[in-house]
Amino acid sequence: MQLMFRLEEDNAKIGRYLSDLIDQKYESKRKFCRAYLEAAKKEPSNENLTNMANRLSQMIKGNKAIQIYDLPYFTDLLGVSCEQIISAGEYSVPLTKRVTNYSIACSKDPAKWEAYINREDKLILNSDEYCKTVIDYALEFANYEFLKYLMDKGYVWFDSRKDNDYITTFGAGTSIKHREPGYIDWGLEGKLREEDDLRINLIALAADHEDLHMLTELRARENPQLYFSAHYLSGNHPDFDSCYNERMVNHIASSSEHVLDYFTDSFKIKDRVRYKDGSDRAHTFMFPYISKLLDKLVSNNSPFTETALKKALAYNQQTYKKLRDLILALKNDDYYAKDYMKDLWIKTCEQYLDFYENGDIISFRAVYTSMTANRKIDGIITNVPHVTKTPSSPILKHLTRELNESYEAIKNLKENLEEL
């Protein structure tokens, strides 16, 4: 007899998958433990919660297997089948026979996908009774083939390729049209246009699949806020912290060398501000969560840690040099070069040199020959990485120390202007 799916014997893989499911549905592992105890009709006392949390932790780490008596509660609380859990997401079955977002999202049949897309009532555009779209479920099921199909066919996109669309998302949308007003439900289209969570969760899945093309399509290293908040002239800075997704960064940290190389490279963002001097400015950034990624690489003892730290250090050194060159060029400007203007130069630098803990963003605006009609404006805005974890290797310890020293030099540059 041939099994319909392969029983995943790797407890660690099952544990990682279970952890992902819990993180997507619950605010914390402890809240899931409380829900488990309540479902099992057990008192959610501190002792019971601690015991359950410890047992769950052992499952997630792969030190212990999921027990048969756990499965009814896990499937009910997480809204998945037992097959899906014990196969670590490799096999999914619908919980009902009715064609729904849920059943299509776990299907591997392109004919069923296409038929669902072409239904006259366009159910695929609707959220279900749980306010979930077909893409929400496809991400939960890790049905990468279906998600890739939607993008390859042009049914869904996460990047409109139009800079002016980049605000909350990268102009994400869908080509699937509503048949008539009576059917309108803005579920999928609304989520694509107004939320970035679907793209972020797909990034995690693409990292698992080592699909660099998909990561590029998704602008996986970028954040939409870079396109409307990253300007050294405006004094407006992106709010990276509010968009942080730990699950995504965990997947990236556990990915292949090629994926990690992609996420630790710098990239350029075109400035949308139109300047009177006709210049076409661009700003260079690293992955907005590069510091958190570095911490996870250190904690995971990743073999890529040394390379990542060296790239981050080189970037900080380049950033410091650019800042120093800009500040000294301003100091030597005709207007500030006179000895009695030194105090004004320092005050000007202090006014336009800013560091923001949220995102570790440094920005500086330099205005040269400001008393003439030919004034020139230059500057920089970028983010700088650092590490909070301590590696065990002497080489890595040395690199983290150098990286953090370069970070502190940039962060505290305003206080050390007279030393330049």
Side-chain angles (χ1 to χ4, degrees), residues 11-42:
N11 287 334
K13 187 173 181 180
I14 295 175
R16 289 193 296 270
Y17 183 71
L18 179 63
S19 179
D20 255 1
L21 290 175
I22 294 171
D23 289 344
Q24 290 179 61
K25 193 157 186 176
Y26 290 86
E27 293 181 10
S28 67
K29 298 292 195 303
R30 192 169 182 84
K31 288 194 175 181
F32 172 79
C33 290
R34 177 179 290 276
Y36 180 101
L37 292 172
E38 291 173 349
K41 309 298 183 185
K42 295 182 180 179

PDB file of all heavy atoms in Angstrom, residues 11-42:
ATOM      1  N   ASN A  11      12.076  15.290  13.600  1.00  0.00           N
ATOM      2  CA  ASN A  11      11.320  16.027  14.614  1.00  0.00           C
ATOM      3  C   ASN A  11      11.645  17.516  14.600  1.00  0.00           C
ATOM      4  O   ASN A  11      10.789  18.351  14.900  1.00  0.00           O
ATOM      5  CB  ASN A  11      11.620  15.451  16.001  1.00  0.00           C
ATOM      6  CG  ASN A  11      10.957  14.102  16.213  1.00  0.00           C
ATOM      7  OD1 ASN A  11       9.943  13.805  15.602  1.00  0.00           O
ATOM      8  ND2 ASN A  11      11.537  13.289  17.081  1.00  0.00           N
ATOM      9  N   ALA A  12      12.904  17.856  14.269  1.00  0.00           N
ATOM     10  CA  ALA A  12      13.294  19.269  14.238  1.00  0.00           C
ATOM     11  C   ALA A  12      12.531  20.006  13.141  1.00  0.00           C
ATOM     12  O   ALA A  12      12.108  21.151  13.326  1.00  0.00           O
ATOM     13  CB  ALA A  12      14.800  19.388  14.014  1.00  0.00           C
ATOM     14  N   LYS A  13      12.346  19.351  12.001  1.00  0.00           N
ATOM     15  CA  LYS A  13      11.616  19.985  10.899  1.00  0.00           C
ATOM     16  C   LYS A  13      10.146  20.170  11.265  1.00  0.00           C
ATOM     17  O   LYS A  13       9.555  21.221  11.000  1.00  0.00           O
ATOM     18  CB  LYS A  13      11.745  19.139   9.637  1.00  0.00           C
ATOM     19  CG  LYS A  13      11.167  19.797   8.397  1.00  0.00           C
ATOM     20  CD  LYS A  13      11.469  18.980   7.153  1.00  0.00           C
ATOM     21  CE  LYS A  13      10.906  19.659   5.903  1.00  0.00           C
ATOM     22  NZ  LYS A  13      11.200  18.868   4.676  1.00  0.00           N
ATOM     23  N   ILE A  14       9.567  19.154  11.882  1.00  0.00           N
ATOM     24  CA  ILE A  14       8.181  19.271  12.344  1.00  0.00           C
ATOM     25  C   ILE A  14       8.073  20.389  13.379  1.00  0.00           C
ATOM     26  O   ILE A  14       7.123  21.178  13.375  1.00  0.00           O
ATOM     27  CB  ILE A  14       7.679  17.938  12.933  1.00  0.00           C
ATOM     28  CG1 ILE A  14       7.623  16.856  11.849  1.00  0.00           C
ATOM     29  CG2 ILE A  14       6.296  18.112  13.557  1.00  0.00           C
ATOM     30  CD1 ILE A  14       7.245  15.487  12.373  1.00  0.00           C
ATOM     31  N   GLY A  15       9.059  20.443  14.265  1.00  0.00           N
ATOM     32  CA  GLY A  15       9.047  21.471  15.297  1.00  0.00           C
ATOM     33  C   GLY A  15       9.092  22.868  14.725  1.00  0.00           C
ATOM     34  O   GLY A  15       8.362  23.756  15.180  1.00  0.00           O
ATOM     35  N   ARG A  16       9.950  23.088  13.727  1.00  0.00           N
ATOM     36  CA  ARG A  16      10.027  24.417  13.089  1.00  0.00           C
ATOM     37  C   ARG A  16       8.711  24.761  12.419  1.00  0.00           C
ATOM     38  O   ARG A  16       8.245  25.912  12.485  1.00  0.00           O
ATOM     39  CB  ARG A  16      11.169  24.443  12.073  1.00  0.00           C
ATOM     40  CG  ARG A  16      12.556  24.435  12.683  1.00  0.00           C
ATOM     41  CD  ARG A  16      13.617  24.772  11.657  1.00  0.00           C
ATOM     42  NE  ARG A  16      13.688  23.777  10.594  1.00  0.00           N
ATOM     43  CZ  ARG A  16      14.456  22.697  10.627  1.00  0.00           C
ATOM     44  NH1 ARG A  16      15.209  22.451  11.689  1.00  0.00           N
ATOM     45  NH2 ARG A  16      14.479  21.847   9.609  1.00  0.00           N
ATOM     46  N   TYR A  17       8.107  23.766  11.775  1.00  0.00           N
ATOM     47  CA  TYR A  17       6.835  24.010  11.092  1.00  0.00           C
ATOM     48  C   TYR A  17       5.735  24.331  12.113  1.00  0.00           C
ATOM     49  O   TYR A  17       4.937  25.254  11.919  1.00  0.00           O
ATOM     50  CB  TYR A  17       6.457  22.785  10.262  1.00  0.00           C
ATOM     51  CG  TYR A  17       5.196  22.969   9.464  1.00  0.00           C
ATOM     52  CD1 TYR A  17       5.177  23.818   8.351  1.00  0.00           C
ATOM     53  CD2 TYR A  17       4.025  22.328   9.824  1.00  0.00           C
ATOM     54  CE1 TYR A  17       4.010  24.008   7.619  1.00  0.00           C
ATOM     55  CE2 TYR A  17       2.856  22.512   9.095  1.00  0.00           C
ATOM     56  CZ  TYR A  17       2.862  23.350   7.996  1.00  0.00           C
ATOM     57  OH  TYR A  17       1.708  23.547   7.273  1.00  0.00           O
ATOM     58  N   LEU A  18       5.709  23.577  13.197  1.00  0.00           N
ATOM     59  CA  LEU A  18       4.720  23.823  14.252  1.00  0.00           C
ATOM     60  C   LEU A  18       4.908  25.216  14.836  1.00  0.00           C
ATOM     61  O   LEU A  18       3.926  25.939  15.077  1.00  0.00           O
ATOM     62  CB  LEU A  18       4.861  22.758  15.341  1.00  0.00           C
ATOM     63  CG  LEU A  18       3.927  22.881  16.543  1.00  0.00           C
ATOM     64  CD1 LEU A  18       2.477  22.724  16.111  1.00  0.00           C
ATOM     65  CD2 LEU A  18       4.283  21.831  17.598  1.00  0.00           C
ATOM     66  N   SER A  19       6.150  25.610  15.054  1.00  0.00           N
ATOM     67  CA  SER A  19       6.437  26.945  15.591  1.00  0.00           C
ATOM     68  C   SER A  19       5.912  28.027  14.660  1.00  0.00           C
ATOM     69  O   SER A  19       5.336  29.029  15.108  1.00  0.00           O
ATOM     70  CB  SER A  19       7.944  27.103  15.798  1.00  0.00           C
ATOM     71  OG  SER A  19       8.250  28.385  16.302  1.00  0.00           O
ATOM     72  N   ASP A  20       6.112  27.825  13.356  1.00  0.00           N
ATOM     73  CA  ASP A  20       5.615  28.788  12.373  1.00  0.00           C
ATOM     74  C   ASP A  20       4.097  28.913  12.435  1.00  0.00           C
ATOM     75  O   ASP A  20       3.547  30.015  12.407  1.00  0.00           O
ATOM     76  CB  ASP A  20       6.016  28.331  10.958  1.00  0.00           C
ATOM     77  CG  ASP A  20       7.163  29.157  10.413  1.00  0.00           C
ATOM     78  OD1 ASP A  20       7.645  30.048  11.137  1.00  0.00           O
ATOM     79  OD2 ASP A  20       7.579  28.911   9.277  1.00  0.00           O
ATOM     80  N   LEU A  21       3.411  27.776  12.515  1.00  0.00           N
ATOM     81  CA  LEU A  21       1.945  27.800  12.571  1.00  0.00           C
ATOM     82  C   LEU A  21       1.463  28.564  13.801  1.00  0.00           C
ATOM     83  O   LEU A  21       0.531  29.371  13.717  1.00  0.00           O
ATOM     84  CB  LEU A  21       1.404  26.368  12.604  1.00  0.00           C
ATOM     85  CG  LEU A  21       1.529  25.537  11.327  1.00  0.00           C
ATOM     86  CD1 LEU A  21       1.047  24.116  11.590  1.00  0.00           C
ATOM     87  CD2 LEU A  21       0.738  26.161  10.188  1.00  0.00           C
ATOM     88  N   ILE A  22       2.103  28.315  14.922  1.00  0.00           N
ATOM     89  CA  ILE A  22       1.700  28.990  16.164  1.00  0.00           C
ATOM     90  C   ILE A  22       1.954  30.491  16.066  1.00  0.00           C
ATOM     91  O   ILE A  22       1.105  31.307  16.456  1.00  0.00           O
ATOM     92  CB  ILE A  22       2.459  28.387  17.368  1.00  0.00           C
ATOM     93  CG1 ILE A  22       2.041  26.937  17.585  1.00  0.00           C
ATOM     94  CG2 ILE A  22       2.197  29.210  18.635  1.00  0.00           C
ATOM     95  CD1 ILE A  22       2.872  26.191  18.609  1.00  0.00           C
ATOM     96  N   ASP A  23       3.118  30.869  15.534  1.00  0.00           N
ATOM     97  CA  ASP A  23       3.465  32.292  15.424  1.00  0.00           C
ATOM     98  C   ASP A  23       2.497  33.044  14.517  1.00  0.00           C
ATOM     99  O   ASP A  23       2.248  34.236  14.718  1.00  0.00           O
ATOM    100  CB  ASP A  23       4.887  32.450  14.892  1.00  0.00           C
ATOM    101  CG  ASP A  23       5.931  32.045  15.920  1.00  0.00           C
ATOM    102  OD1 ASP A  23       5.576  31.945  17.097  1.00  0.00           O
ATOM    103  OD2 ASP A  23       7.095  31.818  15.521  1.00  0.00           O
ATOM    104  N   GLN A  24       1.966  32.363  13.516  1.00  0.00           N
ATOM    105  CA  GLN A  24       1.048  33.013  12.591  1.00  0.00           C
ATOM    106  C   GLN A  24      -0.329  33.231  13.212  1.00  0.00           C
ATOM    107  O   GLN A  24      -1.045  34.142  12.800  1.00  0.00           O
ATOM    108  CB  GLN A  24       0.903  32.175  11.318  1.00  0.00           C
ATOM    109  CG  GLN A  24       2.148  32.163  10.443  1.00  0.00           C
ATOM    110  CD  GLN A  24       1.981  31.298   9.214  1.00  0.00           C
ATOM    111  OE1 GLN A  24       1.129  31.532   8.362  1.00  0.00           O
ATOM    112  NE2 GLN A  24       2.785  30.261   9.104  1.00  0.00           N
ATOM    113  N   LYS A  25      -0.691  32.418  14.190  1.00  0.00           N
ATOM    114  CA  LYS A  25      -2.048  32.497  14.723  1.00  0.00           C
ATOM    115  C   LYS A  25      -2.120  33.060  16.145  1.00  0.00           C
ATOM    116  O   LYS A  25      -3.163  33.563  16.553  1.00  0.00           O
ATOM    117  CB  LYS A  25      -2.689  31.108  14.696  1.00  0.00           C
ATOM    118  CG  LYS A  25      -4.187  31.117  14.937  1.00  0.00           C
ATOM    119  CD  LYS A  25      -4.869  29.897  14.372  1.00  0.00           C
ATOM    120  CE  LYS A  25      -6.377  30.011  14.491  1.00  0.00           C
ATOM    121  NZ  LYS A  25      -7.072  28.873  13.873  1.00  0.00           N
ATOM    122  N   TYR A  26      -1.015  32.982  16.880  1.00  0.00           N
ATOM    123  CA  TYR A  26      -1.025  33.420  18.279  1.00  0.00           C
ATOM    124  C   TYR A  26       0.063  34.465  18.521  1.00  0.00           C
ATOM    125  O   TYR A  26       1.109  34.436  17.890  1.00  0.00           O
ATOM    126  CB  TYR A  26      -0.820  32.226  19.221  1.00  0.00           C
ATOM    127  CG  TYR A  26      -2.002  31.284  19.251  1.00  0.00           C
ATOM    128  CD1 TYR A  26      -2.114  30.265  18.306  1.00  0.00           C
ATOM    129  CD2 TYR A  26      -3.016  31.427  20.190  1.00  0.00           C
ATOM    130  CE1 TYR A  26      -3.207  29.402  18.298  1.00  0.00           C
ATOM    131  CE2 TYR A  26      -4.110  30.570  20.199  1.00  0.00           C
ATOM    132  CZ  TYR A  26      -4.208  29.560  19.252  1.00  0.00           C
ATOM    133  OH  TYR A  26      -5.292  28.715  19.250  1.00  0.00           O
ATOM    134  N   GLU A  27      -0.219  35.361  19.450  1.00  0.00           N
ATOM    135  CA  GLU A  27       0.734  36.426  19.760  1.00  0.00           C
ATOM    136  C   GLU A  27       1.996  35.887  20.419  1.00  0.00           C
ATOM    137  O   GLU A  27       3.061  36.477  20.309  1.00  0.00           O
ATOM    138  CB  GLU A  27       0.081  37.459  20.687  1.00  0.00           C
ATOM    139  CG  GLU A  27      -1.043  38.250  20.025  1.00  0.00           C
ATOM    140  CD  GLU A  27      -1.645  39.269  20.964  1.00  0.00           C
ATOM    141  OE1 GLU A  27      -1.070  39.483  22.052  1.00  0.00           O
ATOM    142  OE2 GLU A  27      -2.688  39.861  20.629  1.00  0.00           O
ATOM    143  N   SER A  28       1.881  34.763  21.100  1.00  0.00           N
ATOM    144  CA  SER A  28       3.041  34.175  21.767  1.00  0.00           C
ATOM    145  C   SER A  28       2.807  32.684  21.952  1.00  0.00           C
ATOM    146  O   SER A  28       1.675  32.193  21.887  1.00  0.00           O
ATOM    147  CB  SER A  28       3.281  34.838  23.128  1.00  0.00           C
ATOM    148  OG  SER A  28       2.210  34.527  24.023  1.00  0.00           O
ATOM    149  N   LYS A  29       3.900  31.956  22.198  1.00  0.00           N
ATOM    150  CA  LYS A  29       3.799  30.523  22.461  1.00  0.00           C
ATOM    151  C   LYS A  29       3.018  30.288  23.757  1.00  0.00           C
ATOM    152  O   LYS A  29       2.275  29.306  23.878  1.00  0.00           O
ATOM    153  CB  LYS A  29       5.205  29.920  22.581  1.00  0.00           C
ATOM    154  CG  LYS A  29       6.074  30.038  21.330  1.00  0.00           C
ATOM    155  CD  LYS A  29       5.560  29.191  20.202  1.00  0.00           C
ATOM    156  CE  LYS A  29       6.609  29.020  19.098  1.00  0.00           C
ATOM    157  NZ  LYS A  29       7.112  30.271  18.522  1.00  0.00           N
ATOM    158  N   ARG A  30       3.184  31.177  24.711  1.00  0.00           N
ATOM    159  CA  ARG A  30       2.493  31.010  26.002  1.00  0.00           C
ATOM    160  C   ARG A  30       0.977  31.125  25.826  1.00  0.00           C
ATOM    161  O   ARG A  30       0.223  30.387  26.476  1.00  0.00           O
ATOM    162  CB  ARG A  30       3.001  32.039  27.003  1.00  0.00           C
ATOM    163  CG  ARG A  30       2.564  31.755  28.442  1.00  0.00           C
ATOM    164  CD  ARG A  30       3.292  32.630  29.434  1.00  0.00           C
ATOM    165  NE  ARG A  30       2.911  32.339  30.808  1.00  0.00           N
ATOM    166  CZ  ARG A  30       3.436  31.365  31.549  1.00  0.00           C
ATOM    167  NH1 ARG A  30       4.358  30.587  31.040  1.00  0.00           N
ATOM    168  NH2 ARG A  30       3.048  31.177  32.805  1.00  0.00           N
ATOM    169  N   LYS A  31       0.521  32.015  24.957  1.00  0.00           N
ATOM    170  CA  LYS A  31      -0.921  32.137  24.713  1.00  0.00           C
ATOM    171  C   LYS A  31      -1.458  30.882  24.034  1.00  0.00           C
ATOM    172  O   LYS A  31      -2.599  30.466  24.273  1.00  0.00           O
ATOM    173  CB  LYS A  31      -1.206  33.387  23.887  1.00  0.00           C
ATOM    174  CG  LYS A  31      -1.028  34.672  24.672  1.00  0.00           C
ATOM    175  CD  LYS A  31      -1.624  35.864  23.963  1.00  0.00           C
ATOM    176  CE  LYS A  31      -1.534  37.107  24.852  1.00  0.00           C
ATOM    177  NZ  LYS A  31      -2.139  38.299  24.210  1.00  0.00           N
ATOM    178  N   PHE A  32      -0.635  30.283  23.166  1.00  0.00           N
ATOM    179  CA  PHE A  32      -1.049  29.020  22.557  1.00  0.00           C
ATOM    180  C   PHE A  32      -1.154  27.938  23.629  1.00  0.00           C
ATOM    181  O   PHE A  32      -2.098  27.131  23.617  1.00  0.00           O
ATOM    182  CB  PHE A  32      -0.059  28.596  21.474  1.00  0.00           C
ATOM    183  CG  PHE A  32      -0.317  27.215  20.943  1.00  0.00           C
ATOM    184  CD1 PHE A  32      -1.327  26.990  20.022  1.00  0.00           C
ATOM    185  CD2 PHE A  32       0.443  26.133  21.378  1.00  0.00           C
ATOM    186  CE1 PHE A  32      -1.589  25.711  19.543  1.00  0.00           C
ATOM    187  CE2 PHE A  32       0.200  24.850  20.903  1.00  0.00           C
ATOM    188  CZ  PHE A  32      -0.818  24.643  19.978  1.00  0.00           C
ATOM    189  N   CYS A  33      -0.201  27.904  24.541  1.00  0.00           N
ATOM    190  CA  CYS A  33      -0.229  26.920  25.622  1.00  0.00           C
ATOM    191  C   CYS A  33      -1.489  27.080  26.470  1.00  0.00           C
ATOM    192  O   CYS A  33      -2.113  26.101  26.894  1.00  0.00           O
ATOM    193  CB  CYS A  33       1.014  27.045  26.487  1.00  0.00           C
ATOM    194  SG  CYS A  33       2.536  26.515  25.658  1.00  0.00           S
ATOM    195  N   ARG A  34      -1.851  28.325  26.738  1.00  0.00           N
ATOM    196  CA  ARG A  34      -3.076  28.580  27.512  1.00  0.00           C
ATOM    197  C   ARG A  34      -4.304  28.062  26.759  1.00  0.00           C
ATOM    198  O   ARG A  34      -5.183  27.423  27.344  1.00  0.00           O
ATOM    199  CB  ARG A  34      -3.213  30.073  27.789  1.00  0.00           C
ATOM    200  CG  ARG A  34      -4.494  30.449  28.530  1.00  0.00           C
ATOM    201  CD  ARG A  34      -4.559  31.942  28.789  1.00  0.00           C
ATOM    202  NE  ARG A  34      -3.581  32.333  29.789  1.00  0.00           N
ATOM    203  CZ  ARG A  34      -3.773  32.254  31.096  1.00  0.00           C
ATOM    204  NH1 ARG A  34      -4.926  31.787  31.571  1.00  0.00           N
ATOM    205  NH2 ARG A  34      -2.837  32.636  31.928  1.00  0.00           N
ATOM    206  N   ALA A  35      -4.348  28.333  25.445  1.00  0.00           N
ATOM    207  CA  ALA A  35      -5.470  27.855  24.627  1.00  0.00           C
ATOM    208  C   ALA A  35      -5.517  26.325  24.609  1.00  0.00           C
ATOM    209  O   ALA A  35      -6.605  25.723  24.641  1.00  0.00           O
ATOM    210  CB  ALA A  35      -5.344  28.398  23.207  1.00  0.00           C
ATOM    211  N   TYR A  36      -4.351  25.687  24.572  1.00  0.00           N
ATOM    212  CA  TYR A  36      -4.285  24.227  24.593  1.00  0.00           C
ATOM    213  C   TYR A  36      -4.869  23.691  25.895  1.00  0.00           C
ATOM    214  O   TYR A  36      -5.697  22.766  25.894  1.00  0.00           O
ATOM    215  CB  TYR A  36      -2.834  23.771  24.445  1.00  0.00           C
ATOM    216  CG  TYR A  36      -2.643  22.271  24.452  1.00  0.00           C
ATOM    217  CD1 TYR A  36      -2.454  21.556  23.276  1.00  0.00           C
ATOM    218  CD2 TYR A  36      -2.634  21.557  25.650  1.00  0.00           C
ATOM    219  CE1 TYR A  36      -2.275  20.180  23.295  1.00  0.00           C
ATOM    220  CE2 TYR A  36      -2.468  20.185  25.682  1.00  0.00           C
ATOM    221  CZ  TYR A  36      -2.283  19.496  24.502  1.00  0.00           C
ATOM    222  OH  TYR A  36      -2.116  18.130  24.522  1.00  0.00           O
ATOM    223  N   LEU A  37      -4.439  24.261  27.015  1.00  0.00           N
ATOM    224  CA  LEU A  37      -4.919  23.801  28.316  1.00  0.00           C
ATOM    225  C   LEU A  37      -6.431  23.993  28.447  1.00  0.00           C
ATOM    226  O   LEU A  37      -7.137  23.117  28.963  1.00  0.00           O
ATOM    227  CB  LEU A  37      -4.191  24.541  29.433  1.00  0.00           C
ATOM    228  CG  LEU A  37      -2.699  24.226  29.594  1.00  0.00           C
ATOM    229  CD1 LEU A  37      -2.067  25.174  30.593  1.00  0.00           C
ATOM    230  CD2 LEU A  37      -2.494  22.775  30.016  1.00  0.00           C
ATOM    231  N   GLU A  38      -6.921  25.117  27.966  1.00  0.00           N
ATOM    232  CA  GLU A  38      -8.365  25.371  28.040  1.00  0.00           C
ATOM    233  C   GLU A  38      -9.133  24.388  27.174  1.00  0.00           C
ATOM    234  O   GLU A  38     -10.202  23.898  27.561  1.00  0.00           O
ATOM    235  CB  GLU A  38      -8.647  26.813  27.620  1.00  0.00           C
ATOM    236  CG  GLU A  38      -8.136  27.839  28.627  1.00  0.00           C
ATOM    237  CD  GLU A  38      -8.265  29.267  28.135  1.00  0.00           C
ATOM    238  OE1 GLU A  38      -8.559  29.454  26.928  1.00  0.00           O
ATOM    239  OE2 GLU A  38      -8.063  30.201  28.947  1.00  0.00           O
ATOM    240  N   ALA A  39      -8.586  24.085  25.977  1.00  0.00           N
ATOM    241  CA  ALA A  39      -9.250  23.123  25.083  1.00  0.00           C
ATOM    242  C   ALA A  39      -9.242  21.726  25.697  1.00  0.00           C
ATOM    243  O   ALA A  39     -10.182  20.940  25.497  1.00  0.00           O
ATOM    244  CB  ALA A  39      -8.554  23.109  23.729  1.00  0.00           C
ATOM    245  N   ALA A  40      -8.174  21.417  26.443  1.00  0.00           N
ATOM    246  CA  ALA A  40      -8.052  20.099  27.073  1.00  0.00           C
ATOM    247  C   ALA A  40      -8.747  20.044  28.437  1.00  0.00           C
ATOM    248  O   ALA A  40      -8.611  19.047  29.158  1.00  0.00           O
ATOM    249  CB  ALA A  40      -6.584  19.741  27.228  1.00  0.00           C
ATOM    250  N   LYS A  41      -9.474  21.123  28.768  1.00  0.00           N
ATOM    251  CA  LYS A  41     -10.214  21.199  30.037  1.00  0.00           C
ATOM    252  C   LYS A  41      -9.282  21.105  31.251  1.00  0.00           C
ATOM    253  O   LYS A  41      -9.598  20.486  32.264  1.00  0.00           O
ATOM    254  CB  LYS A  41     -11.278  20.089  30.124  1.00  0.00           C
ATOM    255  CG  LYS A  41     -12.203  19.986  28.942  1.00  0.00           C
ATOM    256  CD  LYS A  41     -13.029  21.240  28.752  1.00  0.00           C
ATOM    257  CE  LYS A  41     -14.013  21.079  27.583  1.00  0.00           C
ATOM    258  NZ  LYS A  41     -14.747  22.330  27.295  1.00  0.00           N
ATOM    259  N   LYS A  42      -8.124  21.726  31.129  1.00  0.00           N
ATOM    260  CA  LYS A  42      -7.175  21.752  32.230  1.00  0.00           C
ATOM    261  C   LYS A  42      -7.031  23.175  32.753  1.00  0.00           C
ATOM    262  O   LYS A  42      -7.126  24.135  31.988  1.00  0.00           O
ATOM    263  CB  LYS A  42      -5.806  21.219  31.791  1.00  0.00           C
ATOM    264  CG  LYS A  42      -5.811  19.751  31.400  1.00  0.00           C
ATOM    265  CD  LYS A  42      -4.408  19.285  31.016  1.00  0.00           C
ATOM    266  CE  LYS A  42      -4.400  17.810  30.633  1.00  0.00           C
ATOM    267  NZ  LYS A  42      -3.043  17.353  30.244  1.00  0.00           N
TER     268      LYS A  42
END
